[in-house]
Each structure stands twice: as C-alpha cells, then as structure tokens.
Amino acid sequence: MAVDITLLFKASVKTVKTRNKAIGIGFESTKDEIFKRSRPKSGFSPRAKEVITNITKLKDFLLQHRKDYVSAGSLISSDLSRMTDNDRDQIDQDAQIFMRTCSEAIKLLRSEAEKQVMSAQIKEHRGAVLDLIETYLKGVCKLYSEQRAIRVKRMVDKKRLSRLVPEHHSPVEKKVEVEPTEEDTIKEESSEKTTSSEVQDNPVNLWEESRVEDELSPEEIQMFEQENQRLISEMNSLVDEVRQIEGKVVEISRLQEIFAEKVLHQEAEIDNIHQLVVGATENVKEGNEDIREAIKNNAGFRITSKAAEVAACLGSCQLRRSSRATGTLNCIYFLCRGSFQQL
Amino acid sequence: PVVLSAISAASSTTVELNIALKRMLNFNAPPLKNTAAEPVWKVLIYDRFGQDIISPLLSVKELRDMGITLHLLLHSDRDPIPDVPAIYFVMPTEENIDRICQDLRNQLYESYYLNFISAISRSKLEDIASAALAANAVTQVTKVFDQYLNFITLEDDMFILCHQNKELISYHAINRADIQDTDMEAIMDTIVDSLFCFFVTLGAVPIIRCPRGNAAEMVAVKLDKKLRENLRDARNSLFTGDSMTAGQFSFQRPLFVLVDRNVDMATPLHHTWTYQALIHDVLDFHLNRVVMEEGMGVEPSPAGARPKKKSRKTYDLTAADKFWQKHKGSPFPEVAESVQEELDTYRAQEDEVKRLKSIMGLEGEDEGAISMLSDNTAKLTSAVSSLPELLEKKRLIDLHTNVATAVLDHIKSRKLDVYFEFEEKLMSKSTLDKSLLDIISDPDAGTPEDKMRLFLIYYITAQQAPSESDLEQYKKALLDAGCDLSPLNYIKQWKAFTKMAATPANYGNSGVKPMGLFSRVMNTGSQFVMEGVKNLVLKQHNLPVTRILDNLMEMNSIPRNKNPFQEAIVFVVGGGNFIEYQNLVDYTKSKQGKKVVYGCSELFNASQFIKQLSQLGQK
C-alpha cells in the first residue's frame, strides 16, 4: 500500500522556507519561472500532442456514428434505417482521409526528429513517443476496419438471403398445384426482385395463353419453364459466387495489408545488409590489392601466412554474417596494413 | 456469533506488486482499463534496487505499452528532456537524494513523481524541499510517495529481500564469529524493514511464530514491535480498512513463520532433480533470468581461422511462459519429454500452415481446386493471424530446448543423478547401496564441489559423528579429489552447537525409486538423449522447513481461532533456495485451499552457499 506523502512534502517546503527566511537566505524570484515556462510553441511535444488530439477526435467520431453505421435494420427495406449507404460511404471516405493525414503527420514528425541533432536519449524518447502514437492510430484504424468489415458482411448476407430461391417445379406436377405455389413464391420475394416476379409471371401468362390459345403445346411450356428455372438458378449461382468473392477480397486485402507491412520491414533490413555487403566487398578488394603489393615486395613468410589467414577467413565468410564479416575483415585488413607498415 | 467463512481473497504477492507498480507508473492513479486510451508518455528513473524489483515483473515491452519511453539508472548521465514527466523509483539513500536534488537544479524534466521504495525520513524530505525551492521547482514536484516495496517478488508465491548488496545480510554476515552487536542490529533492521514493507503491501497483519534462540527470533521480535507501533497510531496506520483495496477481505490473519537457516543445513547443499532448482544449481540464474554461453562449437572451424566467439544468451523465464509455469517444478526427465512433445505439436502446426501454402499454389491450375478454396481463405487468414502466436511458441520451445540441453550436459558430465539419489538416501536414512568413499574417490563423478556437498550432507545428517579414523580417511579422499576442506570446519562447529539445541532435523521418509536406466525412451529424433541417466521418481516428503510449517498450520495454537490457518508465509533468515520453495509448493498442492508464500533473506545456490561456509570455516 503506497502512502501519498505529497502533503508532507509541501509542508516540508513551508518549513524550509520559514527556516531560510529566519536565517536570511532568499531565493530567486519569479523571473526565472517565466523563462522556464515559455516552451517553444512549435516544439516536438505540442505537435505530438496535437496529433493525438486529432486521432482522439477521429475515434470519437467513429464511435459516435458506430451504432447507426452498423445497424442492419431488418431485411425489409422499408425500415427506418437512420443511415443511408451514401452516408456510410461518406463516413468511410472521411475516416480514410483523416487516417492518412494523421499517418503522414506522424511520418513528418519522425523524419524531422531524425534530421535534428540532439542527444541519444532525446532521440530514443521521441522515437518511442512516435511509436506510441502510431500504435494508438492503429487501434483507432482497427475500429474503423472492424465496422467496415461488419458492413460488408451484412451486405453480403443480405443479398444472399434475399436472392431468388429456385423452385423445383417438376413437370409431372399437376398444373393446378403449380399456380398456387407460384403465387406463394411471389409473396415470399421482396419487392426488389421485380425481375424474378416477371419471370414468374410469364409461365402464368403462358399458361393462361395456352389455355386460351392452345398454340403452345404442354411440352414446349414445360421446356420453357425448365429453361427459365435453369437460367434463374444460373444467375443466382453467379450472383452467389460474386458475393463470395467480394467477401474473400475483403479478407485478402486484410492479408495483403499484413504482408505489405512485413515486406516494408524487410526492405529496411535488406537495404542494411546490402550496404554492409558493399562495404565488405570494398574492403576485400583493397585488402587483396595490398596483399598483392606486399607479395610483390617479397616480404617473405609472414605475409604468406597472413595471406593464407585472410584467404581462409574470406572463404568462410557467409553473407548472413556480413556485419560480423565486415568487422573481421576490417580487423584483418588493418592488421595486415599494420604489419606491412612495420616492414 | 455467525462466523463468515473466510473469503480469503488470496491476494498473491505478484498480483499486489503488479498492481502497485502499474499504479505508480500511471502517475499514482489507477490505470485505465480502456485499451484504446490516449497514450501518455513518461520516463522512468530507477536505482539498482528499483531495477531489481521491476525487472522480474515487467518486461521492456510492457513498460513501453504503459507509455514509458525511456528507463534510465539514477546514477547515469541523463540529458534534459524538458517536456516529459519523470517517475522516480529509488531507495531513500543519501546519494540518491543528492542526485535527485541535482536533477531538480538542472531542470531535467517537466515534472517529477518521486516514489521511494521504503519510507523516506523527514530530514531527507526537507533536503529535497530545499533543493526544489532553490531551483524554483516546487510546483514541478507533482507527487511524492512511500511505496513500501522494499522486497523482490520472483514468483507468485516467492519473494527475496534484495539482490544488490546481499552480502550485507547474507548467511555469512549473520553467522560470522566476529560479528558486533551494532552490525547485527543493522542487519536486523534491514530485514525487518523489508518484511514490514511486505506486509504493508499484502495489507495484512500476521501472527508471528518462530523458534527461540537465534537470528530468526530477533527478527520476529523487531518486526512485531514495528507492526504494533504502526497499528497503535490509528490515524496514520498503514493497515486501516480504507487504505486496503477492496479485494482483501481476509477475516483471518495469515500465519508468519520465521525460521533460521541453521535449522536445516543440508537442503541448501543438496543436489536436485526439478527443473527450476536444477537451473538455479547448474546455470547462471538470477531474478528469473538465465545467462548462458552459446556456440559450443557445433561446426568445426576451418584451420587457421579465428575461433568463433561464444555469444552469451540471456533468457527470461516469465509468468507468461506457459511451459515454464507448468514444468518448473517437474522432475527433469518429465521436462525433457514435454519439450519434445511441444516441439512435435509445433511441427504439426507448421506443416498445417505449409499445407495451406501448397493449396494456394493450386489456384489457377485446377478448377476443381477453386471450390476447395471456399473456406481456405478464411483458414489462411486465421493461419496468418495466428503466426505471431506460433512464432512465440517456437521461441519458447527453442529457449527451453537450449536451457534443458545445457542442464542435461551438466547432469551427464557430473553424474548429478547419482549424487541426487545418494543424498536422498542419506537424508532419509535409507540403506546405501554404495559407499560414500567410492563416490568421493571416483574421478569421473562430479566436481570437487559436488563431492564436498555430498560429504557435508553425510556429515550433517549422520546420527553420530564418524569416528576419527573414518573422518581422516574421508578427508584424505576429499583432498585427493581437490576439495577445499574449510566448510567442514564450520559445519563441525555448527553440528556441535545444534546438538546442544533441539533434536536434529528430520528429513522424512523420502524414497527415491529408480525406474531403471533410460534406454532411448524417447523416439529417435529426440533432442534429449538421456542414455545412462537414471529416471528417478521423487516420492513426496517434507523437508524440515515444511514440517515446521505443517505443525504450525495444523496445530493452530491460538485459542480464540477455531479455524486452522488458511494462509501462511514462511521466511528463512539466512538464505534459502528453490528446493525448499518447491517442497513447500508441493506441500501446498496437497492441502486444499491453503496458500503458502516462501521468502528468504537471500537466494543462493549450493556453490554460493559453500563459498560462504568456506569463509566461515577459515576463521
């Protein structure tokens, strides 16, 4: 259990003050205070805090509208959904722009921090601060992508449920029965599916027509019917697949995001390794030349052994230890130089 | 009267400590549960004591997550970072206070949150006040706290007093012949201060029990006095109801058993067979961190090339490591098997991920495969998102493979299984199937230190001291093996002294049943070839300290209290080790609903203990 002794501290301050007054020691007045308090307005800290405030605004904005955004309403489209799809798109767009701006602000701060000359501790501190802000931004972006994913999923599910249900009208069925079932299917569908109702209407019309006109034979009617059904089911399955693919694409985009992150990370590392390798190659070249010179000068046994050592080290050098190799090569290189100069 | 059943919230020490530390690192306000909260950054300044307290509990990543951008030692060169608040966590020593005053004068940070590990004195507080006034920084000192955290929690149920300067309160320091009264007083004060902090943090006033006539009794008396003084001052008491957190409704006071190391000298020398204790015994293990040298020359280096530098690897064994938590008290063969199992499970999961990869490769070639993709995208997403988990698992498996391999190397080269078995037999007074002399004279079995340990245990546990001629024989054999005999001098004195005191420690009827030799028990491809190493099974038995605790918990000598103790803290003055700790853990497991915490003034392994005995024996 920690004990708060701040008040005790303040009391100590008073005690010391009174004591000092009694002894006659005074302290600097408020002049210095004013100097200290004037912090550069465009300094790192205020700007970092600004970015955070902005991200918080974004978070509040998203949370505020989240309920409306995510509300599915029932499948009947005549409900009072408080938000139209347009509104949702608008929110998506705004959020994206905002996130991009924040992300760029962080990058800007980071690059500025790199350029400025300051102590290692301050550099580390600022780097860590920017990391914290980035993590915060990521968290808020996650909010956004979560509700967007919900929205997309809802759309997919909605479309899937309200699509046509292909009825299996067997040609053997009595025609009397066909009509009531067709009417049923018309009732089940939502009003959006006007096309389907049209398709359904046709057999009825045909049927009526055939009764009246008797031009189309029952087999032809059946055939048409079957073909209709087939077309319907084909269309449905296509629509189905498209919706599925849509869902997959969303998932794949998420995966891509992860991969992109990893790749960028590796890019930095590969650059690093590349640099080291280039440096190592240079050193090796120079070392080789020096050795050749020394051999020419016929300095004798010592150099031969040194050359053998260098060759052996070069032989065992592996790319993934390029940094260590650079160090080793550098050492040997300087060793050789040193011993050459001794001669 | 109706007695409410003791809803002992069993607030473990690590939980308490964690909460206390997290609050401190959040500017002494309760940390927000909301993860999507605005980050607030700060720097953490600590001294070595503070570092030792924080490092077993919070990793660098966790510190970063709490907004700590930099963590620095108090006595290091620190640059001014004028726009950031600083949290200090230090002991209120003279030098630390001076440095804080210096920081104030140099205007290093924006604001200061001072947290003192143990209570700061009024005069030192005034020193800081004075410096703050001089630097016009009084308003910048935002908060000052006495944290009462002067102890180090290593496990949920284990704590030690300190790591820095532990030689000041070591077994040697307490038991040396030339100790002055003033020295002793100082040592006792240090120990009592830490124990007091412990109970303040726990939020409970214990019932203290201890044997008479040794250092433990001195500690008990002082602690009791300090607790009473604090309780008497009701206004400022640290144990009043409203200063306790809500979750601590222990209607029963915990039992606090103080014992002196001298009650059981064999256990600190004992060779062991459980994972955590083995690591502490044979490897470099401090504050839950193992430091090992790697690169044992697996590939032969080409002739003439510079030898590969051995790299040092450090491993942190934390509460988050599930394998560790499960197996730290397991006998070693079980650990080896489990690591193998984990490796196999991991490989299976890896193959699963690879399989998905190949399925993805079918895309575009086979139309039938497209239908297979139906839920594979989802599978892939879940595989990718579970990758970090998988990688973490791999890291832990590697860690334990390396550690267990290192331990196994020691076991094999020093024949530690033989020592363990023999010592168990000695301590339980079972019949020996080998002669002690044989083991000592055997050049292949163990280091000289191992042999000395074995002999000392023999000497300590013998009912009657060996005859002069026998003793000479042993001594000669030990000297031939390269042992240093000075610990024996001290143990002789100790034995003579304890003979006058109570009955010698009873180590219980342990039995070590060897289950025959391991002969490739594990399938091929196993990392751990335990050929020739005995598969020993431990029979549960109680070490002396456990027995003392058992007697007290069951006996319950307080007349008012009808219920036996549910919670106990055992503290060994003079030092302890993991073997004792593990024994208590096993004991607690067998008792339903009881909770036992183990503490000691310092933690040493056998080799460190023998050094101290050696120093004592040289006087």
Side-chain angles (χ1 to χ4, degrees):
Chain A
M1 271 320 299
V3 177
D4 189 347
I5 54 173
T6 319
L7 292 173
L8 201 59
F9 175 71
K10 304 278 190 218
S12 305
V13 170
K14 275 208 187 79
T15 318
V16 175
K17 246 192 205 160
T18 359
R19 195 191 310 152
N20 288 340
K21 238 189 231 159
I23 317 176
I25 306 174
F27 284 119
E28 288 297 310
S29 62
T30 50
K31 247 195 314 174
D32 294 328
E33 253 188 74
I34 302 171
F35 278 136
K36 271 177 244 119
R37 295 290 170 261
S38 63
R39 308 231 179 282
K41 283 288 175 283
S42 60
F44 174 82
S45 191
R47 283 160 72 199
K49 288 210 175 92
E50 218 186 292
V51 176
I52 291 198
T53 331
N54 286 339
I55 300 178
T56 312
K57 276 198 210 136
L58 172 65
K59 181 179 81 165
D60 292 337
F61 173 73
L62 284 175
L63 287 175
Q64 199 183 11
H65 295 286
R66 179 166 250 214
K67 200 156 171 266
D68 295 338
Y69 187 98
V70 161
S71 72
S74 63
L75 289 176
I76 317 164
S77 57
S78 61
D79 82 315
L80 308 129
S81 55
R82 292 162 222 123
M83 203 178 267
T84 65
D85 274 345
N86 275 340
D87 286 342
R88 291 206 180 89
D89 287 334
Q90 187 64 34
I91 291 181
D92 284 347
Q93 240 185 344
D94 290 342
Q96 276 175 2
I97 296 174
F98 216 96
M99 285 190 281
R100 218 170 288 143
T101 332
C102 289
S103 163
E104 278 174 21
I106 297 174
K107 281 206 193 86
L108 186 62
L109 279 172
R110 216 185 267 277
S111 58
E112 276 185 18
E114 301 274 315
K115 278 188 242 146
Q116 270 180 13
V117 177
M118 63 190 107
S119 74
Q121 284 178 7
I122 297 188
K123 247 202 177 91
E124 199 185 325
H125 164 70
R126 291 198 176 169
V129 168
L130 289 167
D131 288 340
L132 282 170
I133 301 180
E134 248 180 27
T135 320
Y136 183 47
L137 180 62
K138 273 206 193 100
V140 173
C141 291
K142 213 166 141 233
L143 279 176
Y144 162 74
S145 60
E146 264 171 18
Q147 61 187 46
R148 180 142 174 79
I150 295 177
R151 177 187 173 197
V152 169
K153 245 198 162 73
R154 281 253 166 77
M155 280 179 8
V156 170
D157 292 340
K158 207 187 221 176
K159 300 277 168 73
R160 196 184 300 159
L161 279 172
S162 52
R163 69 171 169 78
L164 242 196
V165 177
E167 296 292 323
H168 291 293
H169 300 295
S170 69
V172 201
E173 270 180 6
K174 289 206 190 115
K175 291 163 189 164
V176 184
E177 294 175 358
V178 175
E179 215 180 310
T181 47
E182 284 175 17
E183 281 173 20
D184 286 342
T185 41
I186 294 172
K187 284 195 199 109
E188 280 167 11
E189 291 160 10
S190 68
S191 54
E192 287 178 10
K193 308 297 173 282
T194 44
T195 43
S196 47
S197 47
E198 276 169 28
V199 175
Q200 288 293 323
D201 278 338
N202 284 337
V204 181
N205 292 340
L206 280 171
W207 182 243
E208 288 175 4
E209 275 171 30
S210 68
R211 257 198 258 142
V212 171
E213 290 164 43
D214 225 343
E215 281 189 18
L216 299 164
S217 64
E219 291 95 11
E220 283 180 349
I221 292 166
Q222 264 175 24
M223 240 176 41
F224 282 134
E225 234 179 79
Q226 277 176 14
E227 226 187 292
N228 282 335
Q229 297 308 323
R230 200 177 50 79
L231 283 170
I232 290 165
S233 53
E234 251 190 66
M235 292 296 153
N236 284 334
S237 60
L238 277 177
V239 165
D240 216 5
E241 278 176 39
V242 169
R243 298 292 168 232
Q244 272 190 7
I245 293 172
E246 213 177 69
K248 304 277 177 282
V249 169
V250 167
E251 285 178 22
I252 291 175
S253 75
R254 262 199 296 153
L255 284 172
Q256 275 197 336
E257 211 182 287
I258 302 175
F259 287 138
E261 216 183 286
K262 302 270 177 251
V263 167
L264 282 173
H265 185 58
Q266 287 181 10
E267 183 192 333
E269 288 190 26
I270 294 175
D271 274 338
N272 212 10
I273 297 177
H274 175 71
Q275 300 250 4
L276 289 169
V277 170
V278 168
T281 329
E282 292 293 325
N283 290 337
V284 168
K285 273 200 208 125
E286 289 178 31
N288 275 335
E289 282 175 22
D290 281 333
I291 292 168
R292 273 192 216 104
E293 271 184 46
I295 293 176
K296 266 193 247 160
N297 293 344
N298 201 15
F301 180 71
R302 269 177 298 169
I303 298 305
T304 326
S305 67
K306 282 269 192 303
E309 195 189 321
V310 171
C313 284
L314 293 178
S316 68
C317 228
Q318 293 167 46
L319 197 65
R320 57 186 169 87
R321 303 213 193 94
S322 55
S323 59
R324 202 183 287 178
T326 322
T328 327
L329 285 170
N330 269 326
C331 292
I332 295 174
Y333 168 64
F334 287 118
L335 248 179
C336 293
R337 290 217 99 170
S339 53
F340 297 157
Q341 281 158 10
Q342 278 170 23
L343 297 167
Chain B
V2 176
V3 175
L4 294 158
S5 60
I7 314 162
S8 172
S11 42
S12 71
T13 35
T14 15
V15 171
E16 283 311 308
L17 207 52
N18 245 315
I19 294 176
L21 282 176
K22 289 211 167 114
R23 188 181 293 136
M24 174 185 79
L25 295 171
N26 195 44
F27 304 120
N28 307 104
L32 300 164
K33 292 262 193 294
N34 183 9
T35 42
E38 281 190 16
V40 185
W41 46 82
K42 48 200 105 126
V43 298
L44 175 64
I45 318 282
Y46 46 66
D47 62 352
R48 292 211 182 273
F49 283 88
Q51 189 180 30
D52 288 343
I53 295 172
I54 296 183
S55 65
L57 295 172
L58 294 170
S59 65
V60 175
K61 183 177 175 307
E62 284 173 286
L63 288 176
R64 279 280 158 94
D65 288 343
M66 292 205 282
I68 294 177
T69 55
L70 285 179
H71 44 93
L72 306 163
L73 271 175
L74 180 67
H75 294 285
S76 63
D77 289 323
R78 281 175 288 116
D79 304 315
I81 312 179
D83 51 4
V84 79
I87 300 181
Y88 284 70
F89 185 53
V90 297
M91 288 287 276
T93 63
E94 193 82 45
E95 318 164 302
N96 289 354
I97 303 293
D98 285 341
R99 186 59 194 262
I100 293 178
C101 294
Q102 197 184 327
D103 287 353
L104 285 169
R105 282 191 288 271
N106 293 342
Q107 298 284 330
L108 288 185
Y109 308 113
E110 178 194 67
S111 56
Y112 302 81
Y113 292 78
L114 305 176
N115 294 279
F116 295 107
I117 299 176
S118 64
I120 184 174
S121 68
R122 189 62 193 261
S123 67
K124 292 212 175 78
L125 199 59
E126 283 181 9
D127 289 340
I128 303 183
S130 179
L133 267 173
N136 232 327
V138 176
T139 45
Q140 287 177 290
V141 178
T142 319
K143 280 207 187 287
V144 184
F145 265 79
D146 281 336
Q147 286 290 342
Y148 290 98
L149 288 176
N150 190 10
F151 56 95
I152 299 176
T153 304
L154 294 178
E155 300 276 348
D156 220 20
D157 46 6
M158 176 180 186
F159 69 98
I160 61 177
L161 290 194
C162 63
H163 187 62
Q164 304 291 324
N165 305 340
K166 61 179 179 171
E167 57 280 354
L168 294 174
I169 57 168
S170 67
Y171 178 82
H172 172 256
I174 298 174
N175 287 285
R176 59 197 169 102
D178 57 352
I179 187 170
Q180 308 286 339
D181 278 343
T182 41
D183 298 331
M184 198 56 160
E185 280 295 306
I187 295 176
M188 294 295 118
D189 282 337
T190 315
I191 297 181
V192 168
D193 183 55
S194 290
L195 287 175
F196 183 72
C197 289
F198 177 78
F199 286 109
V200 169
T201 307
L202 201 59
V205 180
I207 295 171
I208 307 178
R209 288 278 172 277
C210 71
R212 290 202 177 288
N214 50 26
E217 191 186 7
M218 290 172 83
V219 171
V221 166
K222 268 190 187 263
L223 180 65
D224 189 55
K225 186 155 163 259
K226 191 155 184 173
L227 287 168
R228 279 180 204 282
E229 273 173 12
N230 191 273
L231 285 170
R232 202 169 293 141
D233 185 5
R235 231 174 356 118
N236 292 334
S237 162
L238 299 161
F239 296 96
T240 51
D242 44 38
S243 70
M244 283 200 247
T245 56
Q248 292 176 5
F249 280 109
S250 224
F251 286 93
Q252 204 183 43
R253 291 162 64 188
L255 170 66
F256 182 47
V257 181
L258 273 162
V259 289
D260 194 295
R261 178 74 267 153
N262 288 313
V263 77
D264 171 12
M265 294 289 271
T267 305
L269 295 166
H270 191 18
H271 286 89
T272 176
W273 200 237
T274 57
Y275 194 29
Q276 186 180 36
L278 265 173
I279 293 177
H280 188 230
D281 195 16
V282 306
L283 300 176
D284 184 2
F285 182 49
H286 296 291
L287 297 176
N288 294 347
R289 174 173 284 193
V290 182
V291 179
M292 290 190 342
E293 282 195 352
E294 288 277 297
M296 315 290 269
V298 178
E299 303 141 30
S301 44
R306 188 173 296 206
K308 240 179 269 190
K309 213 168 47 163
K310 283 200 183 139
S311 62
R312 282 162 64 94
K313 301 243 37 187
T314 55
Y315 298 115
D316 285 319
L317 297 168
T318 62
D321 182 345
K322 288 204 189 70
F323 182 84
W324 173 243
Q325 291 305 315
K326 191 158 168 233
H327 289 285
K328 58 190 181 199
S330 309
F332 190 70
E334 210 180 291
V335 171
E337 256 181 65
S338 306
V339 174
Q340 192 56 39
E341 268 174 35
E342 291 282 313
L343 196 58
D344 292 337
T345 327
Y346 168 78
R347 288 219 179 102
Q349 283 177 316
E350 219 185 16
D351 288 340
E352 177 71 26
V353 174
K354 285 202 185 116
R355 202 178 57 83
L356 283 177
K357 217 170 53 167
S358 63
I359 287 179
M360 291 298 112
L362 286 171
E363 200 177 325
E365 289 177 11
D366 182 2
E367 281 171 26
I370 294 181
S371 58
M372 269 206 292
L373 286 177
S374 55
D375 70 333
N376 276 337
T377 330
K379 256 198 234 167
L380 190 62
T381 319
S382 68
V384 168
S385 53
S386 69
L387 263 180
E389 252 179 65
L390 215 59
L391 288 172
E392 173 68 9
K393 212 173 180 191
K394 176 87 199 323
R395 184 187 73 86
L396 289 176
I397 294 177
D398 281 343
L399 190 160
H400 285 289
T401 311
N402 288 340
V403 170
T405 313
V407 170
L408 185 59
D409 287 339
H410 277 271
I411 293 179
K412 283 204 265 193
S413 66
R414 289 156 64 180
K415 299 220 179 94
L416 295 179
D417 48 339
V418 172
Y419 280 95
F420 172 68
E421 198 186 354
F422 203 83
E423 284 164 12
E424 286 278 311
K425 291 214 174 99
L426 280 173
M427 283 159 83
S428 64
K429 306 195 192 343
S430 344
T431 44
L432 306 167
D433 55 356
K434 241 197 225 191
S435 111
L436 181 60
L437 212 51
D438 286 339
I439 302 187
I440 296 179
S441 328
D442 183 353
D444 291 329
T447 63
E449 205 177 77
D450 290 324
K451 297 183 178 160
M452 200 59 200
R453 283 162 70 176
L454 178 60
F455 181 69
L456 286 172
I457 292 180
Y458 162 71
Y459 195 85
I460 292 168
T461 54
Q463 292 279 36
Q464 286 166 317
S467 65
E468 272 307 311
S469 55
D470 280 345
L471 194 56
E472 281 312 308
Q473 219 185 4
Y474 285 128
K475 272 190 179 171
K476 186 169 172 310
L478 288 166
L479 282 170
D480 285 342
C483 300
D484 164 24
L485 289 180
S486 30
L488 185 55
N489 298 338
Y490 177 74
I491 293 290
K492 268 196 195 150
Q493 290 172 31
W494 169 83
K495 184 117 189 183
F497 186 74
T498 40
K499 240 198 178 81
M500 301 187 302
T503 49
N506 189 350
Y507 289 86
N509 304 322
S510 86
V512 178
K513 283 190 308 170
M515 300 238 294
L517 298 175
F518 257 123
S519 52
R520 303 308 299 251
V521 174
M522 260 89 67
N523 48 8
T524 48
S526 158
Q527 303 275 60
F528 302 99
V529 181
M530 308 238 336
E531 255 184 36
V533 174
K534 297 192 189 188
N535 184 4
L536 300 166
V537 171
L538 291 173
K539 234 168 68 177
Q540 175 56 11
H541 63 294
N542 289 339
L543 292 174
V545 170
T546 317
R547 292 183 147 246
I548 295 175
L549 173 71
D550 186 41
N551 285 337
L552 285 169
M553 274 188 106
E554 299 304 319
M555 199 170 73
N556 180 32
S557 54
I558 296 199
R560 276 182 290 133
N561 211 342
K562 297 283 181 285
N563 308 322
F565 289 107
Q566 300 293 109
E567 226 183 298
I569 299 118
V570 181
F571 189 80
V572 186
V573 176
N577 71 359
F578 282 105
I579 305 176
E580 248 170 17
Y581 165 65
Q582 193 56 48
N583 199 257
L584 280 171
V585 167
D586 293 338
Y587 166 80
T588 315
K589 266 195 220 149
S590 69
K591 302 269 174 196
Q592 290 286 18
K594 303 241 192 229
K595 191 166 155 31
V596 178
V597 172
Y598 176 72
C600 49
S601 54
E602 63 159 330
L603 193 61
F604 41 49
N605 60 15
S607 116
Q608 291 160 336
F609 188 54
I610 268 208
K611 278 203 189 76
Q612 292 193 33
L613 294 179
S614 187
Q615 284 177 304
L616 288 166
Q618 272 162 15
K619 301 249 161 43

